[in-house]
Amino acid sequence: MSSALAGKVVIVTGASSGIGAASARLLSEHGCRLTLAARSIDKLERLAAEIDAEALAMRADMTIPADIAQMVERTLERFGRIDVLFANAGVFIMGDYASGDPDAYTNLLKVNVDGVLRCMHAVLPAMKAQGAGDILVTSSIAGHEELHLGPVYGASKHAIQTIVHTTRRQLAGDGIRVMSLAPGRVANELWGLSDPDEIERLTRVERDYLKVEDVAEAAVFMLTRPRHVTIRDIVMLPQKQDV
């Protein structure tokens, strides 16, 4: 496949499953060289063996700053550059705030906000030196709407929207694009969904969920726009999701 992404070096966090794994598969078809990062090294190694791409699989916990630094350092050692950061790793908690676990909320904010901030900060020296780069962050419809069943998750994604919109302005002069991809319900492990037949029913028939492949295709669309075009936000919903 001839693609604007051919040969690009892409870091995908949260790559062991869901949107991250689907995006890694699609990016490999576009000729990307990949760093696949997540906590589950076994899943990453299986994915790296499955895809047709040069891939570095490494365990990285987004709550551990040293893991993030090592992820970036090893990518540069292996590939010599970083063209794209797809900051996709995230934690999802919905439910009643008062009965929730404050420690779980703190961990969510560490992954969804602090982890993204640190990943972005870690890749910027290389991207600035290159004079080009793309940072794409997985946000959520919860970053655009106040969903009453997810107050802390929504707060984390509202923070992401602010980070994306402000750093985009600061980094535009360095040739770096900063973008946000905000899906609604996605039929994946975060929603407790893994059975292919059930996913097919919920997406194609009921139209209540997106497929992970739908989100991956949107990510690749954003990354393949000409350099003079920045898709600041994409918000995508299953056709029957009522927000």
Side-chain angles (χ1 to χ4, degrees):
M1 175 188 293
S2 177
S3 171
L5 291 173
K8 299 286 188 180
V9 177
V10 183
I11 297 175
V12 182
T13 68
S16 61
S17 63
I19 293 169
S23 297
R25 292 187 180 96
L26 187 55
L27 289 164
S28 73
E29 294 176 9
H30 282 257
C32 295
R33 297 175 289 167
L34 300 167
T35 292
L36 307 174
R39 291 179 298 175
S40 178
I41 189 63
D42 292 343
K43 290 182 179 180
L44 293 175
E45 289 175 345
R46 286 196 295 272
L47 177 61
E50 169 194 333
I51 61 179
D52 184 18
E54 185 180 359
L56 169 65
M58 61 175 299
R59 187 187 186 283
D61 186 328
M62 295 299 109
T63 68
I64 301 176
D67 281 12
I68 294 172
Q70 185 182 48
M71 175 185 73
V72 172
E73 289 167 7
R74 288 188 59 192
T75 300
L76 290 170
E77 289 170 2
R78 175 72 173 270
F79 300 111
R81 61 185 293 114
I82 298 170
D83 297 294
V84 179
L85 167 67
F86 186 13
N88 167 73
V91 174
F92 178 67
I93 297 175
M94 298 291 275
D96 180 64
Y97 171 76
S99 60
D101 179 0
D103 290 335
Y105 295 153
T106 296
N107 182 70
L108 180 151
L109 293 170
K110 284 182 178 179
V111 175
N112 292 9
V113 181
D114 186 65
V116 171
L117 285 170
R118 289 181 182 275
C119 285
M120 291 174 61
H121 196 267
V123 301
L124 283 177
M127 289 185 175
K128 285 190 172 188
Q130 295 161 191
D134 286 334
I135 295 172
L136 176 59
V137 183
T138 300
S139 182
S140 167
I141 183 60
H144 294 263
E145 304 277 348
E146 283 70 40
L147 305 183
H148 76 283
L149 285 177
V152 181
Y153 178 74
S156 75
K157 296 305 184 178
H158 273 77
I160 289 302
Q161 291 304 124
T162 298
I163 292 163
V164 167
H165 293 171
T166 53
T167 57
R168 177 185 60 81
R169 298 186 185 101
Q170 291 187 0
L171 295 170
D174 296 298
I176 299 169
R177 301 187 297 190
V178 187
M179 301 172 283
S180 162
L181 176 53
R185 286 192 297 264
V186 180
N188 60 12
E189 293 88 341
L190 288 178
W191 285 89
L193 299 169
S194 59
D195 178 72
D197 291 336
E198 184 179 17
I199 289 173
E200 187 69 16
R201 178 181 62 81
L202 291 170
T203 57
R204 303 295 192 189
V205 180
E206 299 295 335
R207 292 175 288 165
D208 283 328
Y209 286 79
L210 301 168
K211 285 191 170 185
V212 292
E213 291 82 5
D214 299 326
V215 185
E217 288 173 4
V220 167
F221 172 79
M222 297 173 82
L223 294 170
T224 52
R225 295 312 87 202
R227 295 305 304 176
H228 69 284
V229 177
T230 298
I231 306 295
R232 191 191 74 174
D233 294 286
I234 283 184
V235 178
M236 55 189 302
L237 301 173
Q239 191 263 324
K240 291 174 67 176
Q241 182 172 354
D242 179 7
V243 295

